[in-house]
């Protein structure tokens, strides 16, 4: 009898080892059980349940509208689907940074109620104290700097960050603050490739780029963007590797047509019962002349 080897969950120590060995890795978002399973089986070591959920799955116009219950619900589904990958839950707008106690408590819910192994927080210098407190309470944190979508109202839109001398210096300070606060990795979103490279060279934790060129330690993308399922705007930095939305649409059209033409369900998709049993059920058999104890209409009564 061959017992299958139990799957071991990737930890932040594994991520650190991959980084130290110079292994560049792909990470991706997921929001549901089947996608998490597929991503996990593809060997991706880290899955982010991003608050991009709000825009690509829930139809909101901004990530600011996502609440913690929605995030916990989807994180739980991903954690059930991913047996091996490190699952990171994205802390939604204003669930951190208002008070340290509440930030730690909310971060803890991702681990205790949604079975994530880490959380992600936006902001560099401004979030460093919060990060430090969360890490200090035993919860691994991934930072997120550059374009931080929860701050889009302050940043004035989804645009590349750090193109001027001052904003680039601020980004380097942000990256160092995140590292100093104890984060195990930091997302660099929409940062010029040269600056992302300079930040990567200055840090001793992995940088995870999105729209930040090829010189980061790892890459992250929104799953619906790269599989071709996003409805509406897809950022320029996302390459579409498949047309899943189109495949889904074709399948739904084919299903609709098969039902309306009577082609589906066919015998192979149905089950049957003994004809004699049906005869009895309907009160047609010789044996079934007695009064029916139930008041259902039998053929003989019709
Ligand atoms: O919410 C998200 O999906 C993210 C990634 C884009 C990094 O924050």
């Amino acid at each position: 009898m061959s017992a299958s080897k139990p799957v071991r969950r990737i930890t932040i120590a594994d991520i650190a080892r991959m980084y130290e060995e110079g292994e560049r890795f792909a990470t991706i978002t997921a929001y549901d059980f089947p996608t998490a399973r597929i991503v996990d089986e593809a060997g991706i070591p880290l899955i982010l349940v991003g608050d991009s959920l709000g825009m690509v799955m829930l139809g909101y116009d901004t990530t600011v509208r996502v609440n913690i219950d929605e995030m916990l619900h989807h994180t739980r589904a991903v954690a059930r689907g991913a047996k091996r990958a490190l699952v990171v839950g994205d802390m939604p707008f204003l669930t951190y940074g208002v008070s340290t106690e509440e930030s730690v408590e909310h971060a803890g819910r991702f681990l205790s109620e949604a079975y994530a192994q880490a959380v992600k927080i936006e902001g560099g210098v401004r979030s460093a104290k919060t990060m430090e407190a969360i890490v200090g309470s035993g919860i691994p944190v991934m930072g997120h700097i550059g374009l931080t979508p929860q701050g889009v109202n302050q940043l004035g839109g989804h645009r590349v960050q750090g193109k001027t001398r001052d904003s680039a210096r601020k980004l380097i300070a942000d990256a160092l603050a995140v590292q100093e606060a104890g984060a195990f990795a930091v997302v660099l979103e929409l940062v010029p490739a040269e600056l992302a490279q300079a930040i990567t060279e200055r840090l001793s934790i992995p940088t995870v780029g999105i729209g930040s060129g090829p010189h980061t330690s790892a890459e992250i993308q929104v799953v619906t963007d790269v599989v071709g399922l996003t409805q509406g705007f897809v950022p320029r930095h996302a390459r579409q590797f498949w047309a899943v939305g189109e495949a889904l649409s074709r399948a739904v059209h084919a299903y609709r047509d098969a039902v309306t033409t009577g082609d589906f369900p066919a015998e192979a998709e149905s089950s049957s019962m003994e004809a004699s049993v049906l005869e009895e059920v309907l009160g047609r058999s010789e044996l079934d002349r007695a009064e029916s104890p139930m008041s259902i209409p039998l053929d003989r009564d019709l």
Side-chain angles (χ1 to χ4, degrees):
M1 208 173 76
S2 72
S4 57
K5 234 175 125 189
V7 180
R8 186 176 75 74
R9 175 82 64 186
I10 303 254
T11 66
I12 58 167
D14 294 311
I15 300 290
R17 184 186 42 74
M18 288 161 77
Y19 166 69
E20 271 152 30
E21 290 173 1
E23 185 183 336
R24 184 168 155 78
F25 53 92
T27 75
I28 199 163
T29 66
Y31 316 99
D32 57 47
F33 177 83
T35 311
R37 255 205 147 140
I38 290 168
V39 168
D40 204 42
E41 280 163 12
I44 288 190
L46 183 153
I47 300 178
L48 170 69
V49 188
D51 63 356
S52 48
L53 162 81
M55 295 175 80
V56 300
M57 287 284 142
L58 304 181
Y60 298 151
D61 57 347
T62 154
T63 61
V64 168
R65 311 217 186 288
V66 179
N67 67 43
I68 192 161
D69 291 327
E70 290 166 330
M71 285 306 304
L72 293 174
H73 175 78
H74 285 267
T75 304
R76 260 192 300 273
V78 168
R80 283 193 291 266
K83 302 280 175 253
R84 177 177 170 273
L86 179 83
V87 175
V88 182
D90 209 357
M91 292 189 70
F93 184 53
L94 292 190
T95 58
Y96 58 95
V98 177
S99 87
T100 306
E101 290 73 21
E102 271 182 15
S103 306
V104 173
E105 195 183 312
H106 290 150
R109 292 185 67 190
F110 277 89
L111 273 64
S112 63
E113 294 178 34
Y115 316 126
Q117 289 82 49
V119 296
K120 179 170 80 62
I121 286 183
E122 292 186 5
V125 172
R126 74 175 158 91
S127 294
K129 278 210 157 50
T130 305
M131 262 179 221
E132 213 174 302
I134 295 174
V135 173
S137 65
I139 302 168
V141 173
M142 180 154 88
H144 184 162
I145 61 170
L147 186 273
T148 45
Q150 291 170 13
V152 70
N153 293 307
Q154 204 161 36
L155 297 171
H158 290 86
R159 52 172 69 109
V160 177
Q161 304 294 305
K163 281 183 128 176
T164 63
R165 191 192 73 147
D166 288 352
S167 63
R169 283 191 173 170
K170 185 182 167 304
L171 265 186
I172 295 173
D174 279 338
L176 291 169
V178 167
Q179 173 172 278
E180 193 62 24
F184 73 91
V186 58
V187 171
L188 304 182
E189 181 163 356
L190 285 191
V191 174
E194 302 82 352
L195 181 60
Q197 181 172 14
I199 291 173
T200 301
E201 285 165 4
R202 278 159 182 74
L203 294 189
S204 52
I205 56 171
T207 54
V208 184
I210 173 163
S212 299
H215 306 298
T216 51
S217 322
E219 177 75 9
I220 188 156
Q221 288 285 330
V222 169
V223 66
T224 51
D225 290 347
V226 292
V227 304
L229 190 58
T230 298
Q231 309 284 312
F233 175 74
V234 176
R236 188 172 71 86
H237 61 71
R239 185 185 300 172
Q240 190 181 308
F241 290 87
W242 210 265
V244 169
E246 198 183 307
L248 204 55
S249 170
R250 281 189 193 196
V252 172
H253 279 81
Y255 162 73
R256 181 202 62 192
D257 293 347
V259 170
T260 52
T261 59
D263 178 50
F264 176 83
E267 212 179 309
E269 291 113 357
S270 312
S271 58
S272 61
M273 66 191 289
E274 290 284 334
S276 61
V277 176
L278 182 63
E279 289 290 287
E280 270 190 58
V281 171
L282 300 178
R284 291 177 188 148
S285 87
E286 286 298 315
L287 296 170
D288 192 19
R289 291 293 176 214
E291 282 275 305
S292 169
M294 289 178 283
S295 57
I296 55 166
L298 302 176
D299 277 10
R300 64 166 188 242
D301 307 319
L302 298 175

